[in-house]
Amino acid sequence: MQLNLTKPICFFDLETTGVNISKDRIVEIAILKVHPNGKEESKTWLVNPEMPIPKEVTEIHGISDADVADKPTFKELAKEIYNLIKDSDLGGFNSNRFDIPLLAEEMLRAEVDFDMKNRLSVDVQTIFHKMEQRTLSAAYKFYCDKNLDGAHSAEADTNATFEVLKAQIAKYDDLENDTKFLAEFSSRKKFADFAGFITYNKKGEECFSFGKHKGKKVTEVLEKEPGYFGWLLNADFPLYTKKVLTAIKLKSFNNKLD
């Protein structure tokens, strides 16, 4: 089975200090880049998160403070990582809800202007849950009839994710061997930002999904209550959410000028 690709796709997995997208950091990242001609290239980095790794987290992925003490920070690796993925769609396991949002945060902290405007994302976990309702280890056993040795190692999880997707395409006639179809099939509710603070209404307009302005158009709220924008930028929201809000505000301002 070879994926039917029109552009490269990078499968990736992160091991982190925790699950808070705004505050936690990457300690390991593995990327498997698959080209339309079938060529594969892979790279794995250990990353100094510049913060302690909680003991209970180390017990899950096995990476300790000592393991990353002399490793480069994400900021030092950001351009190399971005150059590997910049021409590619992205694939992962629970990547739409966790790995991509956290990667975006790290990129923006490193002053790399990362976004998803011109790329698709294929979330293998969503396909799996829609079809079978299980976990990555169970998916690997179910689809590939193999035990996932080294689970919670970024490299093992990344390679397993790629193998599972190929097996899913081979197993289900309803799944098309096409990145755009797989991205749409594996997507959940559409959000303008990764964290889900800004959603779309039926007209495709950005709306807040939380707080006192839940369901209201972002442009209308920012126009009627200018101070709310400043509060959002200074509050503890993900950097990518703030980037999206700023873009919406600038677009609205430019439309008025036109």
Side-chain angles (χ1 to χ4, degrees):
M1 163 64 68
Q2 182 170 314
L3 293 184
N4 183 18
L5 304 174
T6 57
K7 65 188 291 188
I9 182 169
C10 284
F11 294 91
F12 77 104
D13 184 72
L14 306 178
E15 303 303 337
T16 66
T17 59
V19 295
N20 187 311
I21 291 169
S22 299
K23 297 180 179 179
D24 281 305
R25 301 291 189 268
I26 295 170
V27 298
E28 184 179 31
I29 177 170
I31 299 175
L32 173 64
K33 186 171 186 176
V34 184
H35 295 266
N37 64 3
K39 176 187 173 185
E40 299 174 14
E41 53 182 311
S42 62
K43 182 76 176 177
T44 302
W45 298 266
L46 281 171
V47 184
N48 185 333
E50 301 180 276
M51 66 183 293
I53 304 172
K55 181 181 177 182
E56 60 271 20
V57 177
T58 294
E59 289 174 353
I60 294 173
H61 55 48
I63 301 171
S64 66
D65 291 335
D67 293 327
V68 296
D70 60 348
K71 301 302 179 183
T73 64
F74 189 87
K75 188 169 185 177
E76 293 170 325
L77 294 169
K79 288 185 179 178
E80 181 183 358
I81 294 171
Y82 181 74
N83 285 336
L84 183 60
I85 69 174
K86 65 182 180 181
D87 62 341
S88 306
D89 294 324
L90 297 178
F93 197 87
N94 194 32
S95 49
N96 285 354
R97 292 193 296 175
F98 181 71
D99 298 85
I100 291 175
L102 201 147
L103 178 64
E105 289 297 292
E106 290 278 38
M107 285 289 184
L108 292 173
R109 286 189 204 104
E111 299 179 346
V112 175
D113 190 18
F114 176 88
D115 62 48
M116 292 292 293
K117 289 178 182 176
N118 297 313
R119 67 177 91 227
L120 302 170
S121 61
V122 177
D123 193 329
V124 175
Q125 186 194 60
T126 304
I127 295 174
F128 182 35
H129 285 179
K130 284 185 175 182
M131 294 297 189
E132 302 294 345
Q133 306 288 313
R134 304 242 178 108
T135 64
L136 178 56
S137 295
Y140 197 52
K141 181 67 177 176
F142 181 86
Y143 289 110
C144 305
D145 196 25
K146 299 177 184 177
N147 293 318
L148 180 51
D149 298 324
H152 297 299
S153 151
E155 185 173 1
D157 288 356
T158 296
N159 290 328
T161 298
F162 176 49
E163 288 189 49
V164 167
L165 177 60
K166 291 190 291 183
Q168 286 174 329
I169 294 168
K171 180 176 178 64
Y172 302 113
D173 293 337
D174 292 343
L175 292 182
E176 296 178 18
N177 189 350
D178 175 80
T179 308
K180 188 172 188 298
F181 173 88
L182 295 169
E184 291 174 353
F185 188 87
S186 63
S187 67
R188 298 174 186 266
K189 185 176 180 180
K190 293 286 187 181
F191 294 104
D193 66 331
F194 293 129
F197 291 110
I198 307 170
T199 187
Y200 293 102
N201 61 20
K202 292 180 179 179
K203 296 180 180 179
E205 300 165 321
E206 296 94 344
C207 297
F208 288 110
S209 65
F210 68 97
K212 63 180 182 180
H213 295 305
K214 184 176 181 180
K216 296 179 183 178
K217 287 173 57 176
V218 173
T219 51
E220 292 181 355
V221 172
L222 298 186
E223 183 174 355
K224 294 178 181 178
E225 195 176 331
Y228 194 59
F229 179 70
W231 175 79
L232 289 167
L233 291 188
N234 290 313
D236 189 22
F237 287 97
L239 294 175
Y240 197 86
T241 299
K242 295 177 182 180
K243 172 185 167 78
V244 170
L245 283 168
T246 301
I248 294 170
K249 185 175 177 64
L250 287 173
K251 182 179 178 182
S252 177
F253 178 75
N254 290 332
N255 286 341
K256 288 181 181 178
L257 292 178
D258 293 340

